[in-house]
Amino acid sequence: MLLEIRNLTKRFGGLTAVSDLSFTLAEGDILGIFGPNGSGKTTLLNLISGVYQPTSGRLVWAGEDLIGRRPHEIAAGGIVKTFQNPQLFGELTVFENVAVAGHLRLKRRAGWRRVATLLPARHGSDDDLHERIERVLALCRLGSVRDQPAKSLSYGGEKMLGVAMALMCEPRVLLLDEPGSGLGQDEIRNLDEVLRDLRTHGTTLVVIDHRVGFLGRLADRAIVIHHGAKIAEGPPGDVLRERSVVDAYLGPGHA
Amino acid sequence: MKLLLLWVPLVLVPLVIHNNVVLTILIFTYLLGILAVSFNLIFGFTGQLSLFHAAAFGLSAYATYLAMAHWGVPFWLGMVVGVVFVSLVSLVIGTICFRFNLRELYFAIVTLAFSELFRLVILNWNSFTNGSLGINFTLTPTLWIPGRGVVPVQGTMMWYYLSLVAVVLAVGFYSRIVHSWMGRCFASIRLNDDLADTLGINVFRYKLIAFVAANAGAAVAGSLYSFYISYIDPHYFSIDQSLAIIAMALLGGSRYVAAPIVGALVLTALPHVINVNAEARLLIYGLILILTILVMPRGIVGVLVTGLRRPSRAPQTPERPRHAA
């Protein structure tokens, strides 16, 4: 088991954002997370990626306990997330943004030897890094804007850049927080292609999305969260027809 | 490499200009330039407003002199003592500030408090530091020169070339860092440290490296500067000194490694060009600082490179992280 989440609970003062939630993730899984606005989906991803510390419960990653780890340690371990509202280095170009995200790759390949590349005599070859950046930019359809400052991108472009930066970290699990929200038709089509590419590459994905139809086709499995608690789990098609799920989304009495 | 050619005229200056005032201004410019360039690593490139920089400068000056006076070590070893001492102090202060995740003004205030702490120790430890009277140096640095053996560093010409070599080495050192993967980590911390964290960058570690590396440069500058003027007193640690360093970095341009030297030149030359008393000088520094921020936030070098066009966002404003809901 790659990732095991056991009885995870997060309280903010009197508000229970995530309540006694458990699920597991295996290598190559594509898990969809559904739930109405404010149901605790983003909080869940923030707990997994170390942005928040849980009030109680356990997170076990490849046999190791993740509780108390800082976000950068969790990212280094292979769990990387994108943000619902794109987070970028606005002043830097698209290329430079992805290059910053190449830090973990450098760290994994070179380890402490990366310090030696700072010496004047050593002109550390960045070719390998550049090649990888170009590949990620091409995959995310950002090649044409590579030299533009990130802050000049459209909203959809910003979101794709977020995905590109996360991919540059070479994640074993990629957590995508509503990658499709706020995107135009063309951008959505673009995103869907990228996600399908990732699926063919066997990347393990956890995706939050409201677009039931799309995520239903992409995901192998879905969980539905309501008021921070898991109310259903199973193949997406079946789960979304469940009585409790329909009630949670549309209010009781609609089915 | 092409930028290296820009230094060549400076090598030739003493051969053409024999005016001691001009050369002295340039020596001060280079020595304060090291101070401003090193400050800019933590300020302009990593986005942390440290007010400890003047203290690092002063501490190293005292440490160098006291090591020479008490242990009888030569100047260069004394400088190593200064740099090591300042680096260790910075490691402790940096660890405290960054572990508690002090940002922006909180970091500035706490680093200011630490520099005041050291100033008060120096001021009151009369038996060791001679308190507010300061120390008049009776020792001079020596240098081994091929063909001439070990000679004391004295006279305008020797100091000119020594300080020029020092500032070139400092610029080389910091530009190597800034234009490397480590510089990318610093930039990511300046622009959005929450994002840097989720991309696997150890924000604490790289802030600490930037803080120590910047203060180590201030330490080198402090040792050289104090021996050039052969005098130290607790005023080295004062807030005016910190403000002058900030003014140099902003005036020169905080986006370019060597640009603060231009700021150092302007602020060093200014009192000679317009003859005013010390109080009025501070007023003029303040006015220059305000005008720079309003009219040319990219500094003099920034204006030379990109023109007066105002950037859509002032460079010193850190990107506000837009938190996910």
Side-chain angles (χ1 to χ4, degrees), chain B residues 130-179:
Chain B
N130 206 22
S132 61
L133 294 175
I135 303 171
N136 274 305
F137 289 4
T138 49
L139 303 163
T140 38
T142 51
L143 205 57
W144 182 80
I145 295 175
R148 286 171 59 192
V150 177
V151 292
V153 179
Q154 55 195 6
T156 307
M157 281 295 244
M158 265 189 96
W159 271 106
Y160 182 87
Y161 284 109
L162 180 63
S163 52
L164 181 59
V165 168
V167 76
V168 171
L169 287 177
V171 169
F173 174 74
Y174 289 110
S175 84
R176 187 77 203 172
I177 293 181
V178 164
H179 300 116

Side-chain angles (χ1 to χ4, degrees), chain A residues 42 51 70-72 75-76 80 83-92 99-101 103-104 106-107 112 114-115 117-120 122-124 126 129 151 158 165-166 169, chain B residues 101 176-177 180-182 184-185 187-206 255 312-317 319-325:
Chain A
T42 296
V51 175
R70 302 274 310 135
H72 71 87
V80 178
F83 292 82
Q84 186 178 351
N85 301 311
Q87 295 278 315
L88 306 163
F89 306 114
E91 268 179 45
L92 305 182
V100 169
H103 179 72
L104 275 179
L106 178 78
K107 192 173 171 179
W112 282 103
R114 70 187 189 276
V115 177
T117 63
L118 297 173
L119 298 174
R122 292 277 296 273
H123 283 277
D126 273 352
L129 184 71
K151 64 183 166 195
E158 288 184 350
M165 289 162 82
C169 296
Chain B
N101 206 7
R176 187 77 203 172
I177 293 181
S180 71
W181 58 270
M182 197 181 268
R184 281 202 296 266
C185 291
S188 74
I189 291 169
R190 176 183 87 237
L191 295 168
N192 189 338
D193 56 356
D194 288 332
L195 176 58
D197 199 8
T198 63
L199 294 174
I201 292 169
N202 188 340
V203 172
F204 169 77
R205 176 189 293 168
Y206 288 103
R255 278 293 167 275
S312 53
R313 183 176 289 150
Q316 281 321 313
T317 315
E319 301 276 301
R320 278 263 140 242
R322 290 169 286 177
H323 284 285

Side-chain angles (χ1 to χ4, degrees), chain B residues 99-117:
Chain B
R99 266 285 170 248
F100 284 92
N101 206 7
L102 301 179
R103 299 186 193 197
E104 295 167 27
L105 278 180
Y106 297 96
F107 176 67
I109 296 297
V110 172
T111 49
L112 177 65
F114 275 110
S115 63
E116 273 298 290
L117 186 91

Side-chain angles (χ1 to χ4, degrees), chain A residues 195-214:
Chain A
L195 294 183
R196 266 192 292 268
D197 278 357
L198 290 178
R199 188 194 165 94
T200 21
H201 284 105
T203 312
T204 310
L205 292 175
V206 176
V207 189
I208 297 178
D209 209 311
H210 282 301
R211 297 169 306 142
V212 171
F214 169 70

